[in-house]
Amino acid sequence: MDRVFRMLAFWTGIFTVMFYVGHMETMAYLFLAQTIFFLGIGYLKLSERMYMYLFAAYCTVFFIGFTFYTNFILVPGFGH
């Protein structure tokens, strides 16, 4: 299970580079923080149950944050 978190760190790192190259620095910093989080968790050698609890907590925080952002902050039609 620790390798799954290192794989997540790899992919969020790829997204970090792509966002930075695309001049989206705020999103790049957000993904850099996620990369550091996943990489740090990946080397802790926790039990599989604890890894599942951490992933569930991460998903919960992400879904609450994304829902808040899309409902209260995002301006519809911002790309036009």
Side-chain angles (χ1 to χ4, degrees):
M1 198 69 188
D2 53 344
R3 284 190 264 169
V4 172
F5 276 84
R6 288 193 293 251
M7 182 264 311
L8 286 170
F10 170 77
W11 283 112
T12 54
I14 295 295
F15 274 86
T16 301
V17 171
M18 297 303 276
F19 282 130
Y20 188 74
V21 169
H23 304 291
M24 300 173 73
E25 284 84 13
T26 305
M27 191 66 88
Y29 295 141
L30 179 65
F31 271 77
L32 180 64
Q34 291 182 41
T35 302
I36 293 168
F37 171 75
F38 285 141
L39 199 60
I41 295 298
Y43 283 106
L44 285 181
K45 300 289 185 189
L46 301 172
S47 68
E48 190 165 342
R49 178 180 287 184
M50 192 62 194
Y51 279 122
M52 293 302 290
Y53 286 153
L54 282 171
F55 188 68
Y58 169 78
C59 286
T60 302
V61 169
F62 170 78
F63 290 141
I64 289 171
F66 183 74
T67 303
F68 178 81
Y69 176 78
T70 56
N71 284 323
F72 300 113
I73 298 174
L74 183 69
V75 177
F78 65 91
H80 299 290

